[in-house]
């Protein structure tokens, strides 16, 4: 699990540490870690550190300070280090240290692709957590030139231009090969589109005491998924594994009923009971003979996928809420929410659906998805899974937002959301809480798309989920998994 902290939290943590060790010490620790990672990268790409040509692009703040002190260290190891003044006045002590170690300073204005000939590594020390969105045009030209040359770019703390707290990456934000961050991860490392600008992320310990601070984000990795997945135990039967009841699909959208059923079946439900649209039922009866139809025991409901306009939608949702059973409300079901829901209910909107729920624009959701998903959880009382390139889960009254394991954009196709609803229901039916179930299901779908890469239709990806879940169960994390 990786935890991320906002700019305000990071500054508070830094201040607390600086109060005991002093400001200069923190920056020296950061620079030490940064120089070490830069040297590793040079050794890997060039075979040697000595004699490498390093260009450090510096801005006016401490981010540039980190980079300049790292440059001093690289110069001492025999690198030819040039600092490029790209924005404002460089950190004076850092600059003096670099110059004293034999580095030089040039002005960034007018530098072109040709000036980067022979450079082995570009260090992006323009802006870190103090950055505002929007880089000046001459800076954009410089960072674009590094990209054109295909040079390795090592970002200091964050790729300059990205927004640390929201994960936005305005056009022109730096594309890094690697990012070295200090003390803690920031949301921009974990949320798209900024996350993809970071390349590989390395965390340098600068002695921050994270213990008393509740993180803004908790990002899961595949081992976490294996640890929490509800694998069947030796004596599990279909009821221990859980019965999923689905009221999904419509005569207009029968496929959604079929796909959500695939999600429940291949997500490992002990039994799947389909009570949705007749046209869906006909296809399901043919393709998935294990599915049952007609009333009976249910341990988790999924409603809403593929409903379209449904005149009795309010009542259909209210009845399922009244059952008190775990419940997933997806897609068109989200149009029929009562004012208040318990946290055992899971809502699975994409950005457009969440915007409708919050009565704002889709752009407001994508501009700050963490704030949006938190706000939806607080307003409804439910647990909310916001789908998209980054899948976020929030629960009312809980500060930390969970981030599912990411996957490729191949999942971004019509029908994937229906499958995901079924996966969520399967995990909930096994007795897992809504928050964890949402992260597990979203992660498994993404991990499946990463394992079986390509334009596979959602029903095929759903089948492959079973393979990925099986593999998780055989791994070291899986043996620690909950048994149902
Ligand atoms: N605190 C510590 O001890 C430690 C901090 N550490 C390091 O410090 C970094 C944070 O440093 P920081 O606070 O100085 O902010 P930083 O990101 O360098 O930039 C601020 C400057 O840029 C300017 N500016 C901003 N946006 C702009 C724009 N779009 N276009 C133009 N200008 C813009 C902004 O101007 P202003 O907003 O004031 O007008 C201000 O002058 C952090 O990421 C980490 O690397 C580590 O060493 C660990 C210890
Ligand atoms: N760029 C992306 N990268 C990875 N996964 C994505 C991306 N875009 C969307 N997804 C995932 O694809 C699925 C699409 O769901 P949704 O938009 O509800 O589709 P539908 O309702 O048509 O079935 C969700 O699981 C979502 O998180
Ligand atoms: K940077």
């Amino acid at each position: 699990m990786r935890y991320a902290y906002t700019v305000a939290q990071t500054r508070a943590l830094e201040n607390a540490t600086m109060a005991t060790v002093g400001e200069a010490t923190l920056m020296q620790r950061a620079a030490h870690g940064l120089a070490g990672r830069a040297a590793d990268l040079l050794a890997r790409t060039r075979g040697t550190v000595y004699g490498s040509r390093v260009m450090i692009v510096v801005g006016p703040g401490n981010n540039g300070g980190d980079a300049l002190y790292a440059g001093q260290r690289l110069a001492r190891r025999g690198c030819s280090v040039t600092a490029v003044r790209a924005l404002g006045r460089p950190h004076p002590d850092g600059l003096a240290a670099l110059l004293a170690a034999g580095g030089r300073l040039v002005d960034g204005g007018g530098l072109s692709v040709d000036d980067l000939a022979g450079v082995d590594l570009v260090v992006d020390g323009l802006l870190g957590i103090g950055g505002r969105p929007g880089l000046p045009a001459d800076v954009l030209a410089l960072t674009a030139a590094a990209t054109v040359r295909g040079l390795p770019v090592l970002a200091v703390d964050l790729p300059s231009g990205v927004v640390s707290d929201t994960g936005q990456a305005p056009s022109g934000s730096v594309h890094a090969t690697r990012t070295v961050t200090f003390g803690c991860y920031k949301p921009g490392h974990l949320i798209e589109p900024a996350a993809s600008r970071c390349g590989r992320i390395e965390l340098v310990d600068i002695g921050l005491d994270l213990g008393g601070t509740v993180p803004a984000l908790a990002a899961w990795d595949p081992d976490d998924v294996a640890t929490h997945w509800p694998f069947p135990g030796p004596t599990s039967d279909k009821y221990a594994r859980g019965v999923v009841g689905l009221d999904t699909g419509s005569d207009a959208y029968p496929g959604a009923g079929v796909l959500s059923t695939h999600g429940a079946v291949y997500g490992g439900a002990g039994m799947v009971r389909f009570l949705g649209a007749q046209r869906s039922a006909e296809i399901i009866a043919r393709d998935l003979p294990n599915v049952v139809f007609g009333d009976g025991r249910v341990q988790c409901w999924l409603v809403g996928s593929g409903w379209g306009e449904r005149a009795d939608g309010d009542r259909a949702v209210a009845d399922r809420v009244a059952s008190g059973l775990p419940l997933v409300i997806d897609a068109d079901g989200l149009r029929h929410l009562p004012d208040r829901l318990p946290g055992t209910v899971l809502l699975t909107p994409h950005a457009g659906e969440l915007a409708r729920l919050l009565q704002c624009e889709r752009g407001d959701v994508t501009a700050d998805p963490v704030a949006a998903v938190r706000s939806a959880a607080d307003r409804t009382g439910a647990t909310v899974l916001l789908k998209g390139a980054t899948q976020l889960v929030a629960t009312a009254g809980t500060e930390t937002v969970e981030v599912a394991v990411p996957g490729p954009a191949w999942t971004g196709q019509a029908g994937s959301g229906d499958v995901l609803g079924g996966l969520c229901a399967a995990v909930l039916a096994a007795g897992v809480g809504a928050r964890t179930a949402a992260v597990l299901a979203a992660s498994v779908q993404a991990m499946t798309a990463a394992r079986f890469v390509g334009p596979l239709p959602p029903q095929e990806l759903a089948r492959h989920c079973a393979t990925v879940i099986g593999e998780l169960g055989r791994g070291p994390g899986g043996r620690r998994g909950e048994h149902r």
Side-chain angles (χ1 to χ4, degrees):
M1 197 84 73
R2 289 180 298 167
Y3 298 101
Y5 299 80
T6 63
V7 171
Q9 289 178 316
T10 306
R11 291 208 189 281
L13 289 162
E14 285 173 352
N15 288 338
T17 309
M18 282 189 302
T20 50
V21 302
E23 184 170 358
T25 306
L26 273 201
M27 190 174 278
Q28 291 307 323
R29 287 175 183 170
H32 176 75
L34 178 60
R37 300 316 194 280
D40 288 348
L41 193 52
L42 286 167
R44 199 159 304 171
T45 52
R46 266 193 90 243
T48 173
V49 179
Y50 188 88
S52 301
R53 292 183 57 184
V54 178
M55 180 178 276
I56 297 182
V57 188
V58 287
N62 290 333
N63 193 253
D66 295 342
L68 290 164
Y69 279 119
Q72 173 201 27
R73 287 169 158 79
L74 291 170
R76 284 189 190 143
R77 291 183 66 173
C79 295
S80 161
V81 182
T82 302
V84 178
R85 181 184 12 227
L87 205 61
R89 186 167 157 265
H91 190 280
D93 294 346
L95 179 59
L98 173 66
L99 297 180
R104 64 192 190 107
L105 176 71
V106 300
D107 240 335
L111 275 190
S112 70
V113 179
D114 294 340
D115 296 303
L116 293 173
V119 169
D120 299 303
L121 174 68
V122 176
V123 177
D124 160 29
L126 274 168
L127 298 170
I129 60 172
R132 286 177 272 106
L135 294 171
D138 50 343
V139 174
L140 291 181
L142 188 62
T143 55
T147 310
V148 170
R149 281 250 168 222
L151 294 172
V153 176
L154 184 63
V156 182
D157 213 9
L158 288 158
S160 299
V162 309
V163 185
S164 190
D165 279 352
T166 65
Q168 279 190 295
S171 80
S173 300
V174 166
H175 265 285
T177 322
R178 274 191 207 189
T179 294
V180 179
T181 191
F182 312 114
C184 59
Y185 294 100
K186 285 85 192 177
H189 295 132
L190 305 175
I191 300 175
E192 296 295 355
S196 288
R197 300 267 176 163
C198 296
R200 188 170 129 186
I201 302 167
E202 302 190 36
L203 177 65
V204 169
D205 182 6
I206 56 168
L208 304 188
D209 177 6
L210 304 175
T213 308
V214 178
L217 300 182
W220 290 51
D221 62 34
D223 274 349
D224 300 317
V225 176
T227 302
H228 290 90
W229 191 270
F231 298 104
T235 60
S236 295
D237 62 8
K238 57 182 179 263
Y239 298 117
R241 289 178 55 186
V243 182
V244 171
L246 301 113
D247 177 0
T248 53
S250 59
D251 286 347
Y253 304 104
V258 179
L259 290 167
S260 53
T261 305
H262 274 71
V265 167
Y266 291 103
M271 186 191 286
V272 178
R273 187 178 297 287
F274 186 80
L275 297 171
Q278 183 54 34
R279 281 192 63 202
S280 308
E282 285 157 16
I283 303 168
I284 295 165
R286 193 191 63 212
D287 292 353
L288 295 165
N290 54 319
V291 175
V292 298
F293 304 89
D295 288 330
R297 183 171 175 185
V298 166
Q299 288 159 281
C300 171
W301 284 105
L302 166 61
V303 302
S305 321
W307 274 4
E309 297 293 329
R310 187 160 157 169
D312 68 341
D314 286 356
R315 193 179 47 77
V317 169
D319 285 352
R320 298 310 178 204
V321 174
S323 77
L325 291 171
L327 167 65
V328 184
I329 307 178
D330 183 40
D332 302 314
L334 297 167
R335 298 170 188 269
H336 301 285
L337 298 184
D339 285 344
R340 204 69 197 155
L341 289 161
T344 49
V345 172
L346 172 62
L347 312 180
T348 55
H350 55 55
E353 289 160 346
L354 188 60
R356 196 168 47 226
L357 210 152
L358 294 174
Q359 296 174 314
C360 65
E361 298 298 317
R362 188 179 184 283
D364 298 326
V365 172
T366 53
D368 194 348
V370 174
V373 74
R374 254 199 214 118
S375 159
D378 286 338
R379 279 200 208 179
T380 59
T383 300
V384 183
L385 162 58
L386 170 58
K387 297 179 288 190
T390 305
Q391 306 190 91
L392 301 169
V393 181
T395 314
T398 310
E399 267 303 294
T400 305
V401 169
E402 314 281 338
V403 185
V405 177
W410 291 116
T411 316
Q413 59 184 339
S416 291
D418 307 323
V419 170
L420 179 56
L423 290 168
C424 289
V427 184
L428 277 165
V432 177
R435 183 180 174 88
T436 302
V439 192
L440 288 174
S443 297
V444 155
Q445 189 178 46
M447 289 161 63
T448 304
R451 165 95 160 68
F452 297 91
V453 183
L456 288 173
Q459 67 275 20
E460 280 193 41
L461 263 190
R463 290 190 198 102
H464 290 313
C465 284
T467 307
V468 168
I469 294 166
E471 288 171 354
L472 279 175
R474 286 195 291 276
R479 285 198 294 275
R480 297 196 303 273
E482 285 173 38
H483 293 283
R484 45 177 154 148

